[in-house]
Amino acid sequence: MVTGVRDFGTARGFWMQDPRPDDDPATSEGIFVFTGRQSPEVAPGDALRVSGDVTEFRPGGQDSGHQSVTQLTGAEWRPDGAARGGLPAPVRLDAGSVPERYAPEAGGGSIENSRLRPGRYALDRYESLEGMRVSVRDVRVTGPSTKHHELWVTTDPRQNPTPRGGTFYGSYEQQNSARLKVSSLLPLDTHPFPQANVGDGLGGVSEGPLDYDKFGGYTLRATTLGRHQDRGLERERTRAQHRDELSVATYNVENLSPASEPAKFERLAEGLVTHLSSPDIVTVEEVQDDSGPEDDGTVGADGTLRRLTDEIRAAGGPAYAWQQIDPEDGADGGQPGGNIRVAFLYNPERVSFTERAGGDATSPVRVEERDGAPALSASPGRIAPQDPAWEAGRKPLAGEFAFRGRKVFVVANHFSSKGGGDLKGDQPMEGRFQPPARHSEPQRIEQAKLVNSFVRDVRKIDKDALVVAGGDFNDFPFSPALDALRSGGALTSPMDRLPANERYGYVFNGNSQTLDHLLTSPGAGRPEYDIVHLNAEFADQSSDHDPSVVRIRPH
């Protein structure tokens, strides 16, 4: 029985399901029939007799860590006039039918040849239903709608909820098995895909075949899509800093360049002025060069930063100045041609920048003693830019500031991506290797050690020195990389004083998690920390990261 048809894209075909199932809960009764670029002339409810070659397709290629999808290729079919009945009833996915435990332990090896235990592990449960009709009812959105017309829901609303309706990812063992991606097989012109935010609902029944793809794993391909319930999620605003408070923020502006849409600059500026209350210092990540993704040898980014600071003034904010160092062409990873880098924005009415010549793409900044106090040999300067730890990665930028007579050292960071970029990325959480290998992690640990060593050099001269290390560290609060940053008490995470389920500013595959951090030295006292939710939980976003801000009262 045909249960769903995909008649768009380059992987067209249809799902079919045996209307007379066996009694083995570990075996699926459904399968995908692949027809390539050719739309199959079938419809849900058609009864067919089909022959073809049984194959295993692995999304992402044979060398990827993804699980395979059983499918028929080279198929031929004809109507089966003897078949009777409607579509097979869908299997309901909810808190009672999806196990809490995520995957069997295989010591890092493949689970594909293991006996399925669908009553014990979520991945086994989903695998046992691959290609079959499944349904969810009255579910909450935990990952917002994307431009690819997909979103994430949870089938268990009690599983690690955040205060704003998401699902919190708090450890490597907290994968959150109830997460499920939903996309649509319905024509978009007659059934527009909902623009849903985290915390919204899909009311009623959503049902369709269960598929697997390389962008998140198991996916409900909806032939019936529940109604969108807008729960009114609002973008947050942080309070303004007091006169005697230093506010330092971090914001990943996601591949910003003059080639970006004007609305993106306007939205980022509004976020900095209205929602972040015009921080005194901002570490910004993913600032591209002035030609954006065009790979033409350009490395300067003054045009990008001038456009952003002009928009900030137009939005009623301060006349920010900026500091940055141009990278070597093509050496720092990221979008090809973009030459992303980190930079400082700062309000000269509130803080001053101590500029010292000598900083360039390849020269390491040193911490020196001057008049009994730590000082940078170059400001701004890059930390150990030629160390192998920064291969195909962004080099940290250190700068020396002053606030109300107090010297402040700030380090802007953008550690190597989990996706790997130019290097090897991590294995997928939902893949065949369990537990998945974190191939990118050793590089971030080495990067963290270098930043930690820099902070220790500052504190050797003045143990009460005020240091802030901010940015997109591409890792979690519980990760070895963050442990290496905090080693020896050189830095602490003021985020830790937030309630545990509020420590997030990024949403990936329906999990609310933390990649961006502001860490402070003991000399900063007990800062106040705020993650300002204005992007990651929303379908309409100016960046895929939420900014964070820390407010410090120097003593």
Side-chain angles (χ1 to χ4, degrees):
M1 190 73 70
V2 176
T3 59
V5 180
R6 182 162 59 207
D7 61 356
F8 53 86
T10 58
R12 304 184 188 195
F14 61 92
W15 286 267
M16 64 179 188
Q17 186 168 331
D18 188 347
R20 295 177 295 276
D22 60 31
D23 60 358
D24 186 348
T27 59
S28 171
E29 310 303 325
I31 195 169
F32 182 66
V33 181
F34 175 74
T35 61
R37 295 178 180 271
Q38 184 71 33
S39 291
E41 295 183 2
V42 298
D46 287 353
L48 305 176
R49 298 188 68 84
V50 185
S51 63
D53 296 324
V54 182
T55 62
E56 290 291 331
F57 169 70
R58 192 174 305 284
Q62 290 302 315
D63 294 332
S64 76
H66 293 284
Q67 298 193 56
S68 64
V69 177
T70 308
Q71 61 182 24
L72 291 184
T73 60
E76 297 179 351
W77 58 85
R78 59 183 173 83
D80 183 0
R84 295 289 184 271
L87 292 176
V91 176
R92 174 86 173 268
L93 298 178
D94 56 22
S97 65
V98 178
E100 179 79 17
R101 297 182 68 175
Y102 192 67
E105 170 67 52
S110 175
I111 62 173
E112 283 191 325
N113 294 322
S114 302
R115 179 174 62 89
L116 286 184
R117 288 178 283 182
R120 186 171 178 83
Y121 300 109
L123 287 188
D124 285 6
R125 178 62 167 159
Y126 294 137
E127 175 66 16
S128 74
L129 299 172
E130 179 196 298
M132 293 178 61
R133 272 168 49 85
V134 299
S135 71
V136 296
R137 179 184 290 274
D138 296 328
V139 287
R140 193 180 73 238
V141 175
T142 66
S145 300
T146 73
K147 63 182 179 181
H148 304 292
H149 310 298
E150 59 193 26
L151 53 78
W152 286 78
V153 300
T154 180
T155 60
D156 183 358
R158 298 167 298 179
Q159 192 174 69
N160 301 312
T162 70
R164 291 168 59 84
T167 296
F168 181 65
Y169 180 61
S171 75
Y172 293 123
E173 292 74 40
Q174 192 174 296
Q175 300 98 329
N176 296 313
S177 61
R179 294 174 301 112
L180 183 68
K181 190 167 77 169
V182 177
S183 69
S184 177
L185 296 175
L186 301 166
L188 292 174
D189 55 346
T190 56
H191 297 81
F193 197 76
Q195 292 298 291
N197 301 325
V198 166
D200 286 357
L202 282 184
V205 173
S206 299
E207 61 187 17
L210 187 66
D211 194 16
Y212 182 100
D213 69 27
K214 66 180 180 179
F215 301 107
Y218 291 100
T219 303
L220 191 164
R221 306 291 188 190
T223 55
T224 299
L225 194 60
R227 66 188 181 279
H228 176 212
Q229 298 169 324
D230 187 345
R231 301 279 167 75
L233 188 72
E234 294 186 356
R235 303 180 198 273
E236 291 185 336
R237 297 186 181 190
T238 196
R239 70 168 177 84
Q241 65 272 28
H242 299 308
R243 183 171 177 271
D244 60 346
E245 285 181 317
L246 172 69
S247 63
V248 182
T250 187
Y251 202 166
N252 183 319
V253 294
E254 195 183 6
N255 289 324
L256 185 68
S257 80
S260 302
E261 292 291 330
K264 176 163 183 166
F265 282 93
E266 295 168 4
R267 292 276 300 280
L268 289 170
E270 179 191 15
L272 285 159
V273 175
T274 302
H275 296 273
L276 282 175
S277 296
S278 300
D280 300 320
I281 302 170
V282 187
T283 72
V284 286
E285 300 83 49
E286 291 198 25
V287 173
Q288 289 194 346
D289 64 38
D290 291 341
S291 65
E294 185 175 350
D295 194 0
D296 59 359
T298 300
V299 293
D302 282 352
T304 305
L305 291 164
R306 183 176 300 108
R307 177 86 173 271
L308 177 59
T309 53
D310 285 349
E311 287 292 347
I312 291 171
R313 283 198 301 276
Y320 279 113
W322 68 82
Q323 294 285 342
Q324 62 96 39
I325 291 177
D326 294 334
E328 293 182 293
D329 188 26
D332 284 14
Q335 185 178 23
N339 287 314
I340 57 173
R341 84 286 312 275
V342 297
F344 298 122
L345 303 182
Y346 64 97
N347 179 1
E349 296 297 318
R350 292 268 300 165
V351 297
S352 61
F353 185 80
T354 303
E355 194 165 355
R356 292 195 189 94
D360 58 34
T362 58
S363 299
V365 65
R366 300 182 310 278
V367 180
E368 301 174 340
E369 184 173 347
R370 298 190 182 189
D371 300 323
L376 301 184
S377 61
S379 181
R382 294 178 122 194
I383 295 176
Q386 294 182 305
D387 192 283
W390 306 113
E391 179 187 358
R394 282 67 56 186
K395 287 68 175 173
L397 188 71
E400 188 176 320
F401 295 83
F403 174 72
R404 297 173 65 86
R406 178 78 185 274
K407 188 177 291 190
V408 182
F409 298 92
V410 183
V411 183
N413 303 270
H414 187 187
F415 282 11
S416 296
S417 168
K418 290 181 176 295
D422 296 336
L423 304 175
K424 193 172 185 179
D426 295 355
Q427 291 174 345
M429 180 190 294
E430 64 283 348
R432 57 184 163 138
F433 298 114
Q434 294 295 334
R438 302 189 294 271
H439 293 303
S440 66
E441 183 176 82
Q443 185 180 23
R444 285 192 299 278
I445 293 172
E446 294 306 309
Q447 293 171 347
K449 289 178 180 178
L450 291 171
V451 174
N452 176 270
S453 178
F454 170 83
V455 177
R456 287 185 186 225
D457 286 345
V458 174
R459 297 191 67 233
K460 283 177 186 176
I461 300 171
D462 179 6
K463 67 180 180 62
D464 295 322
L466 202 170
V467 186
V468 180
D472 177 1
F473 291 94
N474 265 315
D475 229 328
F476 311 119
F478 48 83
S479 68
L482 268 292
D483 287 342
L485 275 167
R486 296 183 291 246
S487 176
L491 292 167
T492 61
S493 295
M495 183 194 303
D496 291 347
R497 290 194 287 277
L498 295 176
N501 64 355
E502 295 181 16
R503 301 172 196 168
Y504 69 90
Y506 189 77
V507 179
F508 181 72
N509 288 354
N511 268 335
S512 295
Q513 55 194 241
T514 303
L515 299 178
D516 305 88
H517 304 260
L518 288 158
L519 299 105
T520 57
S521 65
R526 289 178 59 85
E528 182 181 286
Y529 200 94
D530 194 8
I531 302 170
V532 186
H533 301 297
L534 55 85
N535 286 319
E537 298 171 311
F538 295 88
D540 177 22
Q541 51 188 225
S542 53
S543 167
D544 51 353
H545 292 250
D546 286 332
S548 300
V549 62
V550 65
R551 288 180 283 266
I552 302 167
R553 290 181 183 268
H555 53 271

